[in-house]
Amino acid sequence: MKPKLFGSSGIRGLANKDITTTLAQHVGAAIATMNHGGQIVVGYDARISGPMLEMALSSGLNAAGADVIQVGLVPTPVTAWMIVETGSDAGVEITASHNPPQYNGLKVFNREGMSLTIKEQLATEKVLVEESYDWAQWDTVGATDEVDAIEAYVEMLVDSIDIEGEVKVAADCFCGATSTLAPLAFGEFPLKSNIINAVSDGTFPAGNPEPSRESLRGLGRYMKALGCEVGFGFDGDGDRMMPVGADGLMVNPDRALAAYAGYAVERNNGGTVVTHVGASMNVDDMVKEAGGKIVRTPVGDAFITEAMAKHGAVFGGEPVGAWVFPEHHMCPAGVMGALKTIEALEETEKSIEEFISAAPEYPLDRLKLECKDSQKARAMRLIAERYQDAYKKVNSVSTVDGVRLEMENGWALIRPSGTEPLLRITVEGRTMADVEDIMDRGRVLVKKVLGLL
């Protein structure tokens, strides 16, 4: 059973339309009810509607007996880290990550500082649907306290990350939540740092806060003008980062993830790495070469962190730049990811280009085929049952998120779109000829199944 309110990145929608103060208050009451009051950390990103929702959420938490630690405008990983640091029972970051400024959302964490598991999401939704809130008596309502979390988080970064060289680095905060953290954190290391768009502004005047090849062009030009060795772009709530090379171009995100995964395994003398079903097989290559194991999950950092905890993973992440460092905390962390990358470059004595070059780059192709929402579930069942009609030599099959078929020369992932009436086919192969062959077989399989509906 899947949660209806929670998506892969929490509860998200248009501010004051989908994500209302009433909803925030009820979510707060539900979280407090689930934790028998307790102590809850609340933070928000740069969005204009953040403080408004913070007040509503805090009132719901207080009304059901929870004490609230308000950490204010901070990146999502800071809120998650503060839950464990303060011994709290849960936490909420009010954020819509990289979505446009009119959106907002509620990303809920458990006492381990991890996104809620599916089981925890369902239990929270049950309280919301049934409105079975455990309201406090007049003399047991919760209290609210404001705490500066940035300074403590920066101290943790300085104590746990070793950077000695004066690397010339640049970063783009896109006027998001990392504006409160990146300048301070980078300034504590002997880096020659140059940070742009580091003023929080919920209208995002620097552009949509999603680090992509297009959005990072400005940072790239800035880097080349200054002669920077490496750069990083952060998303709106600071749980993602994307490296940029000295040539001013965004590096291949799959190769960056794979290279760091191999480095983490080698540094730990083995271990498990967790990524999702859509990540490149170069992650498998690098992890296995370093003596580690790979676990794949559905798309979404909540699934990745849950699997990391289950398998005691040494590293986990998604190609979008959501990297998780379990030795520090169980939430993807952009600024930490940037500093950990610089640390790895210094330790291996490599440039960012040399570091990721160890990970192979494979050709990839994607295809979309129309499928009514009402037919998606049956279509996926038939694909799982009949994939051998198209693929004769399959090494392994995963159905944790769609149908992923692994072969000697590549893989295919067939999964329903979560937002459109489509089935998506993603194919990666060792050569372009492999990609074309695997995609042709996938297209034939899906069209045959759709014809049976």
Side-chain angles (χ1 to χ4, degrees), residues 168-317:
K168 196 166 187 179
V169 59
D172 192 341
C173 296
F174 288 100
C175 298
T178 53
S179 301
T180 64
L181 174 63
L184 292 173
F186 277 63
E188 289 295 319
F189 293 90
L191 300 169
K192 295 178 180 178
S193 56
N194 305 274
I195 303 178
I196 60 175
N197 299 316
V199 177
S200 299
D201 186 333
T203 65
F204 300 131
N208 191 35
E210 180 174 17
S212 63
R213 196 168 300 279
E214 181 61 35
S215 68
L216 290 171
R217 291 187 190 280
L219 175 62
R221 289 191 293 270
Y222 179 67
M223 287 175 59
K224 290 181 72 175
L226 295 179
C228 293
E229 300 164 65
V230 64
F232 301 91
F234 304 115
D235 71 334
D237 70 325
D239 64 352
R240 288 164 47 185
M241 67 88 194
M242 194 60 67
V244 177
D247 60 0
L249 300 177
M250 186 185 90
V251 305
N252 181 300
D254 279 285
R255 294 182 82 188
L257 176 68
Y260 196 93
Y263 165 80
V265 171
E266 189 173 320
R267 199 180 193 195
N268 285 276
N269 297 311
T272 299
V273 167
V274 179
T275 190
H276 64 57
V277 293
S280 172
M281 60 186 174
N282 61 12
V283 181
D284 302 65
D285 293 345
M286 296 300 291
V287 168
K288 290 174 183 176
E289 184 181 327
K293 298 178 180 178
I294 189 90
V295 171
R296 289 185 180 266
T297 70
V299 176
D301 66 86
F303 296 108
I304 286 174
T305 52
E306 185 175 355
M308 288 181 69
K310 178 181 177 181
H311 295 278
V314 298
F315 178 67

Side-chain angles (χ1 to χ4, degrees), residues 7-154:
S8 60
S9 297
I11 304 167
R12 195 176 291 181
L14 290 168
N16 239 16
K17 184 177 180 181
D18 305 309
I19 308 300
T20 63
T21 53
T22 301
L23 174 65
Q25 187 178 51
H26 288 177
V27 170
I31 293 169
T33 298
M34 293 294 299
N35 289 283
H36 308 289
Q39 180 172 279
I40 315 298
V41 178
V42 175
Y44 56 86
D45 70 12
R47 294 164 194 278
I48 293 170
S49 54
M52 171 189 78
L53 293 169
E54 178 204 39
M55 288 188 286
L57 178 69
S58 297
S59 72
L61 289 162
N62 289 160
D67 291 327
V68 177
I69 296 178
Q70 292 181 339
V71 293
L73 201 171
V74 298
T76 292
V78 175
T79 295
W81 177 77
M82 280 294 288
I83 297 167
V84 178
E85 183 70 7
T86 59
S88 296
D89 299 284
V92 184
E93 176 82 355
I94 300 166
T95 178
S97 187
H98 59 276
N99 283 77
Q102 63 267 34
Y103 285 80
N104 216 326
L106 304 166
K107 192 171 179 69
V108 187
F109 298 92
N110 60 25
R111 67 178 66 246
E112 283 78 35
M114 292 168 46
S115 292
L116 296 187
T117 65
I118 296 296
K119 184 178 179 180
E120 290 168 336
Q121 291 176 25
L122 289 169
T124 305
E125 282 193 4
K126 187 172 186 292
V127 175
L128 284 163
V129 171
E130 296 178 355
E131 299 186 351
S132 53
Y133 310 116
D134 188 8
W135 300 114
Q137 297 297 314
W138 68 271
D139 56 349
T140 58
V141 296
T144 297
D145 191 20
E146 296 180 3
V147 173
D148 180 2
I150 293 293
E151 184 177 345
Y153 192 83
V154 170

